[in-house]
Amino acid sequence: MNIQEAHMAKTTTAAAKELTIDDLSSQIDLLKKDIASLTETLGDYGKAKSDEMRDNARAAANDFAETGRAKAMEAQKQAEEFLQAQPGTALGIAAGIGFLVGIVTARR
């Protein structure tokens, strides 16, 4: 190998290193953009799931509230039917509950 060939080889190697460094730099920039895009996408996904879970929780709460109202109305209806069917027993139960509440509160 003569001096000219050695110089050419060095120049080619230096150019290849520069090209490789430029390629790496552009790939790193592209990777940064991809990571930023992925982070944004994950954030959007998390927000969408959060909104979906909030909506599901609200729907479940509304269902529970409606079920509770229906049960309360049914209990009230049964209590009214009991009062109409057995007024004496209902009065005795009410007096007993009142007596117990009086005892508990009087001890304090």
Side-chain angles (χ1 to χ4, degrees):
M1 185 186 263
N2 65 24
I3 296 177
Q4 188 178 13
E5 288 176 349
H7 185 271
M8 219 168 146
K10 282 184 180 179
T11 305
T12 305
T13 305
K17 284 183 182 177
E18 280 186 33
L19 184 61
T20 304
I21 291 172
D22 290 341
D23 286 344
L24 286 175
S25 178
S26 66
Q27 288 178 1
I28 288 172
D29 289 341
L30 182 61
L31 185 59
K32 285 180 182 179
K33 289 177 185 175
D34 287 347
I35 289 173
S37 176
L38 181 60
T39 302
E40 183 180 344
T41 300
L42 286 175
D44 292 345
Y45 178 75
K47 185 178 182 314
K49 279 297 183 182
S50 174
D51 291 346
E52 179 182 339
M53 291 180 75
R54 183 193 67 231
D55 293 343
N56 288 343
R58 281 185 182 164
N62 288 338
D63 289 346
F64 288 137
E66 189 59 38
T67 301
R69 281 188 211 103
K71 294 282 185 184
M73 293 298 287
E74 182 63 29
Q76 180 181 356
K77 181 179 175 185
Q78 288 177 354
E80 288 173 359
E81 289 173 358
F82 180 76
L83 284 171
Q84 289 176 357
Q86 298 180 358
T89 305
L91 183 61
I93 291 172
I97 291 173
F99 178 73
L100 290 174
V101 169
I103 289 174
V104 170
T105 57
R107 288 187 177 181
R108 293 184 180 190

